[in-house]
Amino acid sequence: MSVALYRKYRPKNFSDVTNQNHIKITLQHEIESNHLGHAYLFCGPRGTGKTTLARLLAKAVNCLDLKNNYEPCNECDSCKEILEHRSLDIIEIDAASHTGVDNVRENIINNARFTPAKSKYKVFIIDEVHMLSISAFNALLKVLEEPPKHVIFILATTEAHKIPATIISRCQRFDFKKIFAKDLVTRLRWIVSQEGMEVEESVLEQIAKHAGGCVRDAESLLEQVLSLGGQKITAEQATLILPRSDHNLFYELFSLILNKQKAEALGFVNKLLEDGIDLNQFTDNFIEFLRQLLIYKVTNNPHDLARDFDDNLVTRCIAVLAKAEETQIINIISKLLANKDLFKQNYLVQLPLEITLIELCSLKIAVLTSVKPVTALPSIKPPINPVSVSTQKDEAIVFAPVHEINEVPIAEKQVVEEIVIREVGDLIGFLNFWHVVLKEIKEQNYSLFMSLHMSKPLSFVDDKLVLGFLFELQRTRVDDLKSMNIIKEALLKHLGRKIVVETIIDSKLTLADLPKSTNFDNQVAALPKTPEEAVSDVASEFGGQVVG
Ligand SMILES: [Zn+2]
């Protein structure tokens, strides 16, 4: 593979060119009817085939033996000379490095006067034509106004708006479009087969995605992937070459927004910046990520996630999406799109994303959609699967303001509208729910969850839970306002009512009975196995070490 793929597989016929059918058909028709223009302007994004089609046109108008559909034969003397870059009549000029008027006079105007050395037409292909100076454009304009019969100009540019109107009006203009990913994949697949290799389809799809409609970028990425060698290149191998997937980062950011973690979200942006990540690009890709989550939310089909995400991420996404609503995702996407203009400013690159994230974390919709203040909770559903058949406490269960201290103001508090009241009875009944509550807490605050591991529910009477702790460290941690709110929210969610929580140090407790007594189900495995290990774990959690 000494020759770059994009050179090696540069289309030799119109039919080989990917997309741009509107241009190919028009050009072939002009060749057929012998109504060729004297000047063409090819505009469009890079890597979409402008230079390729310019060369094809130059070859076709000079071919001595045109084939079906007015394709060049690629075998006559003229075609061969052009293919081997020997033709004196095809003049390619890179305007980016020849911007001055002298160059235009010398290379174009003077040269155009002479008849072609061998061919029917002398063809000037001027690439990046927008780079010419004003005086150079003026000189070019003169020759475009009275073009010699044997000359064809093809001007190519990625920035048509920089071309003087006087020049544009003298040209036949063609606008090239970006190549669709699926067409890029088709082309890449063909090249792979020509190279006698095999590459997993998902790799080709990733390449096409990264190339963003540019054939040259796609082929250059493919070339790097093929350089890995071997019989068949797998998605895993290709990760060595392909730009890193940011899916895990997107997941992290999505979770921060859902949990309204403003400060953490700002820290996240800062980290991206430190890692040299292009925030504009990152945001575009984040929107694409959210789109995939939205599609899954609608279809409920895990395959919609599995196409681009690894298994681990699919599992995590499904878990977080179980708690998110379609409207939340739509709101986040809408906000990002609405702030898109901000991202174009150059003042402080991180500012637009920071503003957007703060706004997103402040949206009420960001945590739960079907929410309303606690004070408006008249439609409480009857208990479902109550643990205890006792109905004595039914009246007490109906939501009422609870005598609580350290309470967050009610108006700020939000709860799920369709709340389910659970009658749990005594401590034994409560323990059936405690592990569910812990699981909920674990997802919100792992450190708090770990501290709760070192406690045991001692009693549950009249909606008051008493948690016994072995160590003051964990008790203090659990007892702070923020932690307590998390615990109470989780209890409210799963038991359907406010629970008063009290923490005490229980000198009778021993390390050994914590895991057994608290019914941690599958979390048991993560618990310390011996008292020594437990102490050591606790010490390391708090940055200390066991002495003596
Ligand atoms: Zn030919």
Side-chain angles (χ1 to χ4, degrees), residues 195-256:
E195 290 289 308
M197 295 181 79
E198 259 190 276
V199 176
E200 264 181 28
E201 189 76 3
S202 68
V203 175
L204 301 182
E205 286 166 4
Q206 275 189 65
I207 293 175
K209 222 176 227 182
H210 282 297
C214 173
V215 180
R216 194 161 54 223
D217 286 356
E219 291 176 2
S220 147
L221 260 179
L222 177 67
E223 186 167 356
Q224 294 177 55
V225 168
L226 292 183
S227 71
L228 289 168
Q231 273 287 278
K232 180 170 184 175
I233 293 164
T234 63
E236 198 185 343
Q237 290 171 303
T239 55
L240 296 169
I241 301 286
L242 293 177
R244 186 166 62 101
S245 159
D246 291 327
H247 284 146
N248 287 315
L249 290 175
F250 298 147
Y251 168 83
E252 200 182 319
L253 182 58
F254 180 58
S255 304
L256 292 177

Side-chain angles (χ1 to χ4, degrees), residues 94 184 479:
D94 177 15
L184 274 180
D479 217 25

Side-chain angles (χ1 to χ4, degrees), residues 249-316:
L249 290 175
F250 298 147
Y251 168 83
E252 200 182 319
L253 182 58
F254 180 58
S255 304
L256 292 177
I257 294 172
L258 282 187
N259 293 322
K260 292 179 158 184
Q261 291 172 274
K262 271 187 219 179
E264 288 83 353
L266 292 185
F268 181 90
V269 175
N270 199 33
K271 181 80 177 41
L272 291 182
L273 209 60
E274 280 173 12
D275 290 348
I277 290 176
D278 177 342
L279 296 183
N280 211 345
Q281 186 65 45
F282 179 87
T283 308
D284 284 349
N285 296 343
F286 182 48
I287 293 172
E288 168 65 20
F289 171 83
L290 293 169
R291 181 183 151 265
Q292 282 168 293
L293 297 192
L294 185 61
I295 290 172
Y296 165 76
K297 197 70 196 165
V298 173
T299 63
N300 218 14
N301 182 355
H303 289 293
D304 287 325
L305 294 176
R307 261 196 294 275
D308 292 308
F309 305 168
D310 61 43
D311 292 349
N312 182 304
L313 186 62
V314 169
T315 311
R316 288 193 293 154

Side-chain angles (χ1 to χ4, degrees), residues 63-65 73-74 76 79:
C63 178
L64 305 171
D65 186 19
C73 72
N74 290 313
C76 70
C79 283

Side-chain angles (χ1 to χ4, degrees), residues 59 62-66 71-80:
K59 202 163 61 178
N62 284 316
C63 178
L64 305 171
D65 186 19
L66 280 174
E71 295 276 13
C73 72
N74 290 313
E75 280 166 11
C76 70
D77 284 349
S78 169
C79 283
K80 277 185 180 166

Side-chain angles (χ1 to χ4, degrees), residues 105-155:
R105 284 210 184 100
E106 197 177 311
N107 296 325
I108 302 172
I109 299 172
N110 293 343
N111 193 344
R113 282 200 207 116
F114 300 103
T115 50
K118 277 168 106 178
S119 317
K120 196 172 167 191
Y121 292 98
K122 193 171 258 194
V123 182
F124 291 89
I125 300 172
I126 310 175
D127 209 2
E128 304 292 342
V129 69
H130 60 272
M131 300 291 280
L132 290 181
S133 66
I134 295 292
S135 49
F137 268 127
N138 284 335
L140 183 63
L141 184 61
K142 288 214 173 73
V143 73
L144 289 181
E145 280 169 338
E146 289 176 39
K149 276 191 172 170
H150 56 266
V151 170
I152 294 175
F153 290 99
I154 306 175
L155 317 181

